[in-house]
Amino acid sequence: MVFEMYWRHFSIGFVIYLAVRIGHAFYKKFKTSTVDKTVTETKSVAPEFDSEDSGEELVPALPRDLQYVPLKFNEIPVEESLRKSRHFYELMNARRTVRHFSTRDVPKEVIYNLIKTAGTAPSGAHTEPWTFALVSSAETKKKIREIIEEEEEINYRKRMGNEWTTDIKPLRTNWIKEYLTDAPHLILVFKQTHSQKPNGTKKLHYYNEQSVVLAAGFLLAAIQNAGLVSLTSTPLNCGPALRALLNRPTSEKLSLLLPVGYPAKDCKVPDLERKSLDNIMLEY
Ligand SMILES: Cc1cc2nc3c(=O)[nH]c(=O)nc-3n(C[C@H](O)[C@H](O)[C@H](O)COP(=O)(O)O)c2cc1C
């Protein structure tokens, strides 16, 4: 009886109720999806550095109370900047990759200075993610040569493919690497993907690849500056065997191997040209 009299009011009330419920449901869904999206976006900025949340309090890798000191900056006149920059360019432009080494020794003190220079490179969040393994013993150099020549023969014969071997043919390289035993020193540059904080938790090495390659660049410049020569090499597929030989942990990956010393007498290098400034620089 009451329903019959007021059915219109009941219907309107029901429609309003439904509209409110549906509206609320939509609002909730929109809110959740926005939050989800924010979480995903935050994570995807650098997913390679996402560590599992162990629930432990995070401790910064650098001291919390890191002190600041005045910058040591020796200002020089512009004319001197011009002279020094030109001189340094000429020095570096004379650097060449050398594939034939003299067996003449280089004092270790010199090599230590070169490696110290490499260690001055900038690194992601000052993680210094590098290990420079200096090999000077004839026995270890021989073992390294054996490992590399065995792999390189397979690389040249099977892995590298026609295009690659054709491209490097003019450089006259093959799997015989005499420089590995002739050069007085080998520096194997390892990149550390992570290490440990003083409290034992994992210390992520942000941008370890870029940092280590920068350090290798500093090393090459230091070698050139010291009147020595080197060969930038990346022994393909030899990383794990060389890491095992030198007892390095699996968190370290071989990045480069650089023999350091003097060139062999009458050493020849390919007559290569470098791109001009116009071809490597754009000005805006
Ligand atoms: C990442 C990298 C890997 C290289 N690997 C080798 C190598 O395995 N063997 C080699 O004889 N030269 C290697 N080189 C040297 C290049 O062939 C050489 O730098 C290039 O021909 C230019 O000559 P230059 O260094 O005298 O300017 C490598 C260079 C770089 C940067």
Side-chain angles (χ1 to χ4, degrees), residues 20 24 55-56 92 105 108 142 168 173 184 196 206 228 239 245 255:
V20 169
H24 185 64
E56 283 173 35
M92 293 310 294
D105 200 13
K108 275 209 179 159
K142 188 165 167 279
I168 61 168
T173 58
Q196 275 197 339
Y206 308 99
L228 301 169
L245 176 74
S255 182

Side-chain angles (χ1 to χ4, degrees), residues 95-97 99 171 173 231-234 256 272 274:
R95 181 208 56 79
R96 294 306 314 272
T97 290
R99 298 183 176 86
L171 297 176
T173 58
L231 188 169
T232 309
S233 78
T234 43
L256 296 165
L272 299 176
R274 294 196 166 119

Side-chain angles (χ1 to χ4, degrees), residues 50 131 146 248:
D50 278 350
T131 301
E146 281 164 8
R248 299 311 307 155

Side-chain angles (χ1 to χ4, degrees), residues 27-230:
Y27 171 72
K28 266 176 79 179
K29 192 167 166 42
F30 172 75
K31 216 178 144 196
T32 330
S33 70
T34 321
V35 170
D36 277 350
K37 212 172 146 208
T38 324
V39 170
T40 333
E41 277 173 3
T42 313
K43 278 198 160 175
S44 65
V45 170
E48 68 272 34
F49 302 132
D50 278 350
S51 57
E52 275 179 26
D53 190 358
S54 64
E56 283 173 35
E57 192 206 349
L58 289 175
V59 177
L62 292 167
R64 275 190 216 275
D65 61 345
L66 186 62
Q67 300 297 300
Y68 278 66
V69 292
L71 171 73
K72 287 181 194 146
F73 179 74
N74 299 323
E75 193 169 323
I76 54 172
V78 175
E79 301 74 49
E80 204 181 335
S81 289
L82 189 61
R83 189 187 59 75
K84 279 171 92 92
S85 58
R86 195 182 298 128
H87 179 257
F88 191 67
Y89 160 66
E90 281 160 9
L91 176 75
M92 293 310 294
N93 195 30
R95 181 208 56 79
R96 294 306 314 272
T97 290
V98 163
R99 298 183 176 86
H100 303 283
F101 280 72
S102 153
T103 53
R104 184 178 157 197
D105 200 13
V106 174
K108 275 209 179 159
E109 199 63 31
V110 175
I111 307 292
Y112 297 155
N113 287 335
L114 305 179
I115 295 176
K116 278 201 288 191
T117 305
T120 66
S123 62
H126 192 54
T127 44
E128 302 175 283
W130 40 65
T131 301
F132 300 94
L134 172 61
V135 179
S136 316
S137 106
E139 197 190 332
T140 313
K141 283 191 292 180
K142 188 165 167 279
K143 284 185 186 153
I144 290 176
R145 182 171 168 185
E146 281 164 8
I147 291 171
I148 292 181
E149 287 187 342
E150 194 181 320
E151 280 299 324
E152 284 285 76
E153 182 167 2
I154 309 172
N155 293 336
Y156 273 84
R157 286 193 194 278
K158 295 186 187 154
R159 297 191 187 118
M160 285 158 71
N162 282 342
E163 188 169 344
W164 193 347
T165 44
T166 307
D167 278 345
I168 61 168
K169 209 164 239 162
L171 297 176
R172 298 184 202 162
T173 58
N174 59 30
W175 57 86
I176 309 294
K177 309 285 182 193
E178 280 158 353
Y179 59 80
L180 291 171
T181 42
D182 286 345
H185 306 285
L186 306 179
I187 302 175
L188 285 82
V189 185
F190 288 90
K191 62 172 184 183
Q192 306 165 351
T193 53
H194 62 268
S195 62
Q196 275 197 339
K197 292 182 189 175
N199 69 347
T201 57
K202 192 172 177 179
K203 174 174 164 180
L204 295 175
H205 288 177
Y206 308 99
Y207 302 115
N208 55 72
E209 177 79 43
Q210 293 90 330
S211 307
V212 168
V213 172
L214 279 166
F218 276 40
L219 183 58
L220 285 173
I223 292 169
Q224 178 69 7
N225 184 53
L228 301 169
V229 295
S230 185

